[in-house]
Amino acid sequence: MEKSFPLHECHVNKVTIIINRTHAILHSIAILLLIHYRLSFFFQHPQNITIPTLPWLLIFVSELILSFAWFLQQACRWRPVYRTVFPERLPADDKLPAIDVFICTADPNKEPSVEVMNTVISAMALDYPPEKLHVYISDDAGSNATLRCTKEAWNFAKYWVPFRRKYGLVTACPDVYFSSSENDNGDYKGSEFKAERKKMEEKYEVLKQRLRKIVEGHFPTNVAINNTRDHPSVIEVINKEEDEVKIPQLIYVSREKRPSHNHNFKAGALNVLLRVSAMISNSPYILALDCDMYCNDPTSARKAMCFYCDSQTPSSLAFVQFPQTFRNISQDDIYDNQVRFAFKVHWYGFDGVGGPIISGSNFCIKREALLGSFNKQQDYMALKRLFGPSNDFIKTLVEDYKPCFIKDGESSRMSLENANILASCSYENQTVWGSKVGFLYFSVAEDYFTGLNLHRKGWKSVYLNPERLQFLGTSTTNFNDSLIQWTRWTSGPVTVALSRFCPLIYGPLKMSLVQLLCYSELAFMPLLNCLSLWGFAVIPQLCLFNGIPLYPKVSDPNFNIFSIILVSSISKSLYEVVTTGEQFKVWRNEWRIWMMRSVTSYTYGCLDVILNKLGMKEATFLPTNKVTDDEQVKLYEMGVFDFRTATMFLAPLVTVILINIAAFVGAVVKALVVDDDGDQYWEKMFGQMFLSFFILISNFAVIEGMIIRRDKAKIPLSSTLWSVVFSMFILLIGSVILC
């Protein structure tokens, strides 16, 4: 019997594991010593206590919260693994399983049609048998412009897909191919290739002009904006039966939306795609992409199949997650748009303990994991109670069901009629869609909550990050969009954390303890960070302002405990930055943006969840703005903050900086001018002075935006004045309460 070679391999990095676990043990010892030091304060004789109890207790609580957040993070560092795939070992094309590609777009005003259609075209150009590849674009705005743009994209794909295949191009996205300075000519350099390439480039320029003309002509008024929440379902198969060129099927789907019905954001759109695609193609695997995440590597689908087609892979594998990477990241990524800590550190650790979460985009998932598996003896009435009244959809759930779509005109017409019913806004009424099957609705972070439930049921996942980037998207390039995006990313997991689905109590079933802690870290991270950072940014400073020491003297042996914890944290994070191929400035930017997000996005995201729990605010979903502004992009590439954002974001950030300036300057003046024994004051207050100085030097960009800069992107004077009022109020009231 011929030996079959594995299609993938898993590598355990033992050196990294040893370093991570050794650091965790040593850092834990230092934290325990800190806890002992703080607790010993409460057991002193009352006559020996010279420091107010309240500020000591508050800073102790902040230290405990941050320590708990650090403890949860260690789960993602416990057993990192790395995977390699061998797509050249896959079986013949006729034996590969079919794939449905889901592309979701929600707002044509924030998601440029040229980018969206490039994603569609790149998906159609994947190196996969065209008869086994079906591309679905979900237009949640119900925009006629998007439908027309989709038809234009298909017309161009008729030429682009054969061109890419013929010359073996490694770039599937036409916009990148024609704008890139890299020489991607496949195996051809002759005159025939050059002539065809020139014709193709001309066709692409015509496509861009047509797309822009369609969009510009469609949005002169607010009519289209109003229709985004009130429109019927529209499903159209773009391919024509008489097409001679063999390219993947392209289907436009716009579900019905009415103001009286909850549409459940992106999860609702994905579930409609699940039902509609079942009627048309019913592929066993689904590749989900955001509308700006074009396929950078045509072999990405084959790489995912290396897990599903491998006999060594357990049947419990639910999905393969690729990292989210972006093509417009600047050298000085001041907003940390690449999210390095997640896709270059945490997800490897997640993979080693059961698999990463669904990360919003760039994942290939098994349809069975979302819908379940049923045989022909299953009770149809029971299935209808679960999945809805459509007999035709129930048939798709049975094993080996093959849709008859495209085989004859009558079947195609009836399938589309049934698909429109499945896309109606009332179809899910009195079913378990979104609660037990499909993508789950409980949180706006449908990816996190769906992944948690899949892993809880015993499903597994893997993380694959090949050397060549598989998908490339467009990240935010200004401070405002970045903070809004992170506010939304915060509210989703925190909603789960503060509910009966909290991973610490809901998670265990078929999940390991370490994987449970990984999910808990993601759920609680925003809440823990905002609480602890507000404590560290305000409490020691108020006490410094009033001459109250919260840390040991420099000569006190206990001072070494705090020094060790600080050095340990900084050195470990710097080590991870360097080992992931980044430079020192990345570490600096990550620390700075972590502080900024903690007092802005994390704070507002958590408040949003709390208000929602109290019934004072409804959950909202704001699509990330993908429209680029040349001036904002220029500032981003220069590494200059664009502070043109709402006062609600600037006020807490500037207030914290002003409080630290007042406390630090006041302490320096007191030590140098006022206090007769300046040396003793320095020794007594050094810890708090250093903390304020570290915060100020790390966030010098904010000080620069307030005082030095004179450009349009500086911090507005009105925001600074409001922050002065807030900081004076906090200094006054805080001094009265704490001291």
Side-chain angles (χ1 to χ4, degrees), residues 8-35:
H8 69 93
E9 290 181 352
C10 180
H11 313 277
V12 180
N13 193 327
K14 295 183 179 180
V15 174
T16 301
I17 290 176
I18 292 172
I19 292 174
N20 288 348
R21 295 183 183 183
T22 302
H23 173 264
I25 293 171
L26 296 177
H27 197 83
S28 297
I29 294 173
I31 290 176
L32 290 175
L33 292 174
L34 182 149
I35 294 173

Side-chain angles (χ1 to χ4, degrees), residues 629-702:
D629 179 275
D630 291 340
E631 184 182 356
Q632 293 175 339
V633 171
K634 185 178 179 180
L635 288 171
Y636 171 65
E637 291 177 346
M638 292 169 57
V640 177
F641 273 82
D642 184 353
F643 288 111
R644 284 173 290 187
T645 184
T647 302
M648 63 174 283
F649 285 126
L650 291 177
L653 184 60
V654 176
T655 298
V656 165
I657 296 301
L658 290 175
I659 291 173
N660 277 268
I661 290 175
F664 181 75
V665 172
V668 171
V669 170
K670 188 174 183 179
L672 296 178
V673 180
V674 180
D675 203 308
D676 294 333
D677 194 354
D679 292 340
Q680 187 175 357
Y681 184 86
W682 279 99
E683 184 182 19
K684 182 175 65 172
M685 307 303 295
F686 177 80
Q688 285 151 264
M689 293 177 70
F690 176 81
L691 178 60
S692 286
F693 178 76
F694 182 74
I695 291 174
L696 293 175
I697 202 68
S698 298
N699 294 275
F700 181 75
V702 180

Side-chain angles (χ1 to χ4, degrees), residues 169-185:
L169 305 183
V170 297
T171 302
C173 177
D175 189 68
V176 176
Y177 176 72
F178 292 119
S179 62
S180 175
S181 58
E182 296 181 7
N183 186 19
D184 178 14
N185 296 334

Side-chain angles (χ1 to χ4, degrees), residues 61-182:
V61 170
S62 299
E63 290 165 348
L64 287 177
I65 292 173
L66 195 60
S67 298
F68 181 60
W70 172 86
F71 169 74
L72 292 177
Q73 281 187 353
Q74 303 319 297
C76 296
R77 295 174 170 86
W78 190 249
R79 188 179 179 269
V81 299
Y82 308 84
R83 298 185 184 272
T84 306
V85 293
F86 308 98
E88 66 277 4
R89 299 177 183 174
L90 281 170
D93 286 358
D94 60 339
K95 295 182 180 179
L96 290 175
I99 298 177
D100 290 340
V101 182
F102 290 176
I103 300 171
C104 294
T105 180
D107 189 341
N109 291 304
K110 293 185 177 181
E111 298 161 341
S113 293
V114 173
E115 286 191 14
V116 176
M117 294 308 133
N118 265 278
T119 301
V120 171
I121 295 167
S122 70
M124 297 179 70
L126 284 171
D127 183 14
Y128 210 77
E131 68 277 5
K132 295 189 176 184
L133 190 64
H134 314 85
V135 180
Y136 294 81
I137 176 169
S138 169
D139 176 20
D140 230 21
S143 169
N144 183 57
T146 303
L147 174 57
R148 292 171 60 193
C149 288
T150 303
K151 293 179 179 179
E152 293 290 344
W154 177 80
N155 285 326
F156 175 78
K158 287 192 301 182
Y159 302 98
W160 170 255
V161 173
F163 174 74
R164 194 209 67 78
R165 289 179 189 156
K166 179 179 179 180
Y167 294 106
L169 305 183
V170 297
T171 302
C173 177
D175 189 68
V176 176
Y177 176 72
F178 292 119
S179 62
S180 175
S181 58
E182 296 181 7

Side-chain angles (χ1 to χ4, degrees), residues 424-565:
S424 66
C425 59
S426 60
Y427 182 81
E428 295 182 358
N429 293 348
Q430 298 180 344
T431 68
V432 295
W433 282 100
S435 59
K436 293 184 179 179
V437 298
F439 292 89
L440 306 185
Y441 296 154
F442 179 75
S443 166
V444 292
E446 81 293 329
D447 47 1
Y448 174 89
F449 191 51
T450 302
L452 171 63
N453 278 271
L454 288 176
H455 283 123
R456 187 174 178 269
K457 294 175 182 177
W459 289 98
K460 305 296 182 183
S461 61
V462 295
Y463 180 59
L464 181 62
N465 188 9
E467 184 176 351
R468 178 174 172 82
L469 301 178
Q470 301 298 286
F471 305 94
L472 281 173
T474 304
S475 70
T476 56
T477 55
N478 63 79
F479 199 39
N480 181 66
D481 290 341
S482 178
L483 293 179
I484 291 174
Q485 184 180 59
W486 276 94
T487 301
R488 189 183 76 237
W489 287 354
T490 293
S491 62
V494 173
T495 298
V496 180
L498 302 181
S499 71
R500 61 189 178 92
F501 300 112
C502 171
L504 291 176
I505 57 176
Y506 175 72
L509 189 63
K510 295 184 179 180
M511 293 173 64
S512 67
L513 175 61
V514 183
Q515 188 180 24
L516 172 66
L517 293 176
C518 288
Y519 266 101
S520 300
E521 191 268 334
L522 291 178
F524 285 100
M525 180 268 293
L527 180 62
L528 297 177
N529 281 342
C530 79
L531 290 176
S532 59
L533 259 292
W534 273 108
F536 282 113
V538 174
I539 303 302
Q541 290 71 16
L542 288 174
C543 292
L544 177 62
F545 190 74
N546 291 276
I548 301 172
L550 291 180
Y551 297 101
K553 295 181 179 180
V554 177
S555 58
D556 189 333
N558 289 314
F559 184 82
N560 295 328
I561 298 173
F562 295 88
S563 301
I564 290 171
I565 291 176

Side-chain angles (χ1 to χ4, degrees), residues 35-49:
I35 294 173
H36 176 267
Y37 169 76
R38 290 296 186 193
L39 286 176
S40 63
F41 170 85
F42 299 103
F43 295 97
Q44 297 181 65
H45 193 280
Q47 294 181 348
N48 297 329
I49 297 178

Side-chain angles (χ1 to χ4, degrees), residues 487 490-491 494 498 526-528 530 601-611:
T487 301
T490 293
S491 62
V494 173
L498 302 181
L527 180 62
L528 297 177
C530 79
S601 298
Y602 295 166
T603 300
Y604 285 118
C606 294
L607 286 175
D608 186 72
V609 173
I610 293 172
L611 293 175

